[in-house]
């Protein structure tokens, strides 16, 4: 695919994938981007030991995939009022590998929080984890806060900011999303991963506490500098908190329509592909989660 990079959404026939298609369609409409719906036909290697069985099984899978793509296209069109440039494509390959390759020429990749073939109770499958860790563009995992798993369509965009390269990239994407959706932006800087008891001297009145808090407020201001000039219509709320990042961001996710975080924060070890905060949010957040890598 050349030219304007599309939003790529993967479907597998699950309800979670259907929610992902709807979210991706709204995102494509808001950003005036094409939507590329894909599905993957994966035939286990052992089927090829029986050629006739493999051929009939392959034909059945391909027919199912074609019908799945058709349904997804209709669902995308019905989700938004604006006309969308929609293309569909099916592959015969490994799912994770295909999506990672597609991510190299995508504006973002969108997936459901769980799909077919996963064990009961498994919230994030191996495919999602692989794309989050190795993809070349932002990944959105569509989560919801209602019983039917539908993602919210109102509320602010929340972005985690900690000064790392990943969070800088996340901030850029978060402003883009807020501007496109006409939403406000909540920029959150959580400066301590560990709770220290007040009895140890780390209280709000402690000079050390106060100096760190002030320093982190400066960090947040520096990171936001320039963006509000570029996006004058986006209202920004600044939050600096001393707490566990996952807890604070999860609380904001309860009222947000999207939470945006870097793939790995400033406290991550070199070589770590997905940080603890981003990984936890993929499993627990009450709204869609976007993971942004530094090179996205």
């Amino acid at each position: 695919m050349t030219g304007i990079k599309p939003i790529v959404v993967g479907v597998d026939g699950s309800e979670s994938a259907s929610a992902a298609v709807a979210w991706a369609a709204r995102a494509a409409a808001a950003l005036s981007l094409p939507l590329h719906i894909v599905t993957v036909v994966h035939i286990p290697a052992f089927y090829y030991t029986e050629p006739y069985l493999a051929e009939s099984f392959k034909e059945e899978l391909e027919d199912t995939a074609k019908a799945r793509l058709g349904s997804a296209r209709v669902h995308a069109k019905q989700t938004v009022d604006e006309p969308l440039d929609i293309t569909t494509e099916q592959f015969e390959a490994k799912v994770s590998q295909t999506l990672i390759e597609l991510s190299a020429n995508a504006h973002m990749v969108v997936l459901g929080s769980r799909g077919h073939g996963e064990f009961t109770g498994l919230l994030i499958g191996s495919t999602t984890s692989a794309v989050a860790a190795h993809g070349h563009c932002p990944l959105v995992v569509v989560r919801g806060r209602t019983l039917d798993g539908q993602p919210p369509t109102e509320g602010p965009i929340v972005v985690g900011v900690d000064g790392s390269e990943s969070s800088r990239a996340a901030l850029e994407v978060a402003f883009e999303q807020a501007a496109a959706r006409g939403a406000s932006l909540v920029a959150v800087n959580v400066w301590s991963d560990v709770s220290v008891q007040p009895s140890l001297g780390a209280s709000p009145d402690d000079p050390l506490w106060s100096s760190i808090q002030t320093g982190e407020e400066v960090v947040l201001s520096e990171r936001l500098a320039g963006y509000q000039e570029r996006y004058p219509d986006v209202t920004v709320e600044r939050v600096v908190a001393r707490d566990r990042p996952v807890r604070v961001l999860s609380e904001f996710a309860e009222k947000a329509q999207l939470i945006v975080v870097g793939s790995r924060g400033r406290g991550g070890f070199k070589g770590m592909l997905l940080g603890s905060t981003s990984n936890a949010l993929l499993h627990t957040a009450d709204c869609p989660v976007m993971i942004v890598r530094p090179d996205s």
Side-chain angles (χ1 to χ4, degrees):
M1 290 174 286
T2 60
I4 299 175
K5 292 185 176 182
I7 291 178
V8 173
V9 57
V11 297
D12 62 1
S14 65
E15 292 183 6
S16 180
S18 180
V21 168
W23 191 95
R26 295 189 188 99
L31 295 169
S32 298
L33 293 175
L35 179 65
H36 191 52
I37 306 173
V38 303
T39 193
V40 180
V41 175
H42 175 58
I43 301 178
F46 65 83
Y47 273 93
Y48 288 102
T49 61
E50 299 291 339
Y52 296 104
L53 178 62
E55 189 62 30
S56 61
F57 182 63
K58 179 181 178 181
E59 290 178 358
E60 181 180 348
L61 288 179
E62 289 178 341
D63 289 343
T64 300
K66 184 177 180 180
R68 181 184 301 151
L69 289 173
S71 296
R73 176 192 283 270
V74 171
H75 184 43
K77 286 185 175 181
Q78 293 176 340
T79 299
V80 297
D81 296 327
E82 302 90 333
L84 284 180
D85 177 6
I86 303 175
T87 55
T88 63
E89 192 172 8
Q90 67 185 63
F91 299 86
E92 181 184 339
K94 292 184 177 180
V95 180
S96 300
Q97 178 182 340
T98 299
L99 291 172
I100 291 171
E101 290 176 355
L102 287 171
S103 73
N105 293 300
H107 187 80
M108 70 177 73
V109 171
V110 182
L111 298 174
S113 59
R114 63 181 295 175
H116 284 323
E118 297 175 359
F119 297 104
T120 301
L122 182 61
L123 298 178
I124 297 295
S126 58
T127 295
T128 304
S129 297
V131 178
H134 301 284
H136 304 287
C137 70
L139 168 72
V140 177
V141 174
V142 178
R143 302 180 54 81
R145 63 175 65 104
T146 58
L147 291 177
D148 60 3
Q150 294 303 306
T153 57
E154 298 181 349
I157 307 295
V158 176
V159 58
V161 182
D162 66 4
S164 66
E165 289 301 316
S166 287
S167 79
R168 292 181 186 182
L171 191 59
E172 178 78 36
V173 175
F175 266 100
E176 176 194 61
Q177 288 291 315
R181 297 165 184 269
S184 60
L185 181 71
V186 181
V188 182
N189 181 355
V190 185
W191 59 264
S192 177
D193 288 20
V194 182
S195 285
V196 180
Q197 296 299 323
S199 61
L200 299 181
S203 68
D205 298 325
D206 187 273
L208 178 59
W209 179 311
S210 179
S211 66
I212 296 176
Q213 177 78 10
T214 300
E216 293 301 322
E217 290 173 353
V218 171
V219 168
L220 184 56
S221 295
E222 290 176 345
R223 295 296 175 259
L224 291 173
Y227 284 106
Q228 290 180 283
E229 287 74 17
R230 291 168 53 192
Y231 298 94
D233 295 332
V234 176
T235 301
V236 179
E237 177 185 352
R238 305 182 184 193
V239 177
V240 177
R242 178 185 176 276
D243 204 335
R244 295 179 176 87
V246 172
R247 180 159 61 187
V248 174
L249 291 171
S250 293
E251 289 176 356
F252 276 100
E254 293 175 2
K255 297 182 179 180
Q257 62 174 290
L258 175 68
I259 188 163
V260 184
V261 292
S263 58
R264 181 163 58 89
R266 64 186 175 190
F269 295 102
K270 289 184 178 180
M272 182 186 295
L273 296 176
L274 200 61
S276 58
T277 298
S278 52
N279 188 53
L281 289 170
L282 286 177
H283 289 79
T284 62
D286 284 336
C287 69
V289 178
M290 178 183 287
I291 305 295
V292 183
R293 294 176 58 79
D295 53 355
S296 294

